[in-house]
Amino acid sequence: MAGFNAASPVEAEALLLSCCHSVRWAERVAAHRPYPTVDALLAAADEAGYDLSRADLDEALAAESSALPHPGAPPAARTALRAAHAAYESSFGHAFVISLDGVSPGERLDQVLAGIRSRLGNEPEEERVVAADELRRLARARLAFRLAEALTPRHSGP
């Protein structure tokens, strides 16, 4: 946490942009440093996510890409996922976003396919609300991961 708080605004915003590609979101979260705890930072990131304008959300969603299946997934599953992503992107104009935080690796493909199928029935404005919520959850998980990664000691040798 100390490293994030002490980082230059450019460095902090770059880290934040790697979690959610909304410049306004990253600037807002970085501007409120220092954060006393990781939980306080994550809460601020959530709050800033709720305040994304339509343009901010469009910017963030434009930077997302559809998740690829595990390389070991059967060909039929890979084909089904590609088709589902194409249908979603054709309907809504952006990549399908879903937070899989807490979903076991073996269940992720099924969760993504089920999510796309269920959300394809949404009206565009309803789907924007769902996508925004999923994007907030993704940003939170990515940020927590990057902070934990920064706190993990690196070993330079055996």
Side-chain angles (χ1 to χ4, degrees), residues 1-152:
M1 201 61 235
F4 178 76
N5 284 333
S8 73
V10 170
E11 292 170 324
E13 288 170 19
L15 178 120
L16 291 163
L17 284 169
S18 73
C19 300
C20 176
H21 200 81
S22 163
V23 172
R24 188 166 85 76
W25 176 86
E27 289 173 347
R28 179 175 171 187
V29 175
H32 287 91
R33 293 175 301 147
Y35 291 99
T37 64
V38 170
D39 286 340
L41 170 58
L42 295 176
D46 284 344
E47 183 181 329
Y50 283 108
D51 291 340
L52 292 177
S53 70
R54 184 174 195 86
D56 297 332
L57 181 58
D58 288 344
E59 175 187 35
L61 288 172
E64 294 293 327
S65 59
S66 298
L68 299 174
H70 185 274
R78 297 173 73 78
T79 299
L81 188 60
R82 274 194 305 276
H85 278 299
Y88 180 90
E89 290 175 21
S90 175
S91 293
F92 299 110
H94 59 80
F96 177 75
V97 291
I98 187 169
S99 174
L100 297 172
D101 199 27
V103 177
S104 72
E107 296 175 6
R108 290 178 179 216
L109 179 62
D110 289 339
Q111 188 75 25
V112 170
L113 284 169
I116 292 173
R117 288 182 185 128
S118 72
R119 289 170 51 188
L120 273 170
N122 289 347
E123 292 297 321
E125 285 308 309
E126 177 185 14
E127 181 54 24
R128 282 186 71 75
V129 171
V130 174
D133 188 51
E134 291 295 328
L135 188 64
R136 276 189 296 280
R137 293 176 60 209
L138 273 172
R140 179 186 182 87
R142 290 170 178 164
L143 184 54
F145 176 79
R146 283 176 179 70
L147 292 171
E149 198 175 46
L151 296 174
T152 303

